[in-house]
Amino acid sequence: MWFNANWNEVTDAAVGDVFKQWGKERGYDVDYQVLEFGQDEKLSAALQSGQPPDVDQAAASVYWWKLDALVELTDLYDRLKDRNGGMLPVGHDAV
């Protein structure tokens, strides 16, 4: 998983720990990496080589999604959006 930096190590670690714990509880090894500002080229190179991360929240993601290089997740979102109190509409609208 690649995510944009939150600009402080405490928050970056806290976000990463949530994903790592989720994986641990389900038998997955989650590799969580923080993308510092200016590392969008890392995603570009990964996509061009055919080896993108399974999940990313990088600034260039919308660009690559528009080029059909990322997986469409609307069906998954629709199945999960109302669970555990639901997702805020801004989460859907922002992406």
Side-chain angles (χ1 to χ4, degrees):
M1 305 183 89
W2 295 354
F3 271 62
N4 283 334
N6 291 294
W7 306 117
N8 70 71
E9 292 178 12
V10 173
T11 304
D12 287 337
V15 171
D17 288 348
V18 169
F19 291 114
K20 290 176 186 178
Q21 183 62 35
W22 179 91
K24 183 177 179 181
E25 291 170 2
R26 289 160 180 81
Y28 297 105
D29 181 29
V30 174
D31 178 22
Y32 180 83
Q33 296 181 29
V34 174
L35 296 180
E36 300 293 337
F37 178 75
Q39 284 191 312
D40 288 334
E41 70 275 358
K42 183 176 180 175
L43 179 60
S44 299
L47 288 164
Q48 291 173 357
S49 71
Q51 298 182 4
D54 292 319
V55 177
D56 86 277
Q57 185 256 336
S61 298
V62 172
Y63 169 78
W64 287 105
W65 183 80
K66 290 281 189 184
L67 293 178
D68 204 26
L70 300 176
V71 177
E72 173 62 52
L73 297 175
T74 300
D75 291 342
L76 178 62
Y77 171 82
D78 287 342
R79 284 188 311 188
L80 300 176
K81 68 180 179 176
D82 296 320
R83 289 192 180 180
N84 297 322
M87 293 186 192
L88 295 173
V90 69
H92 177 270
D93 296 346
V95 183

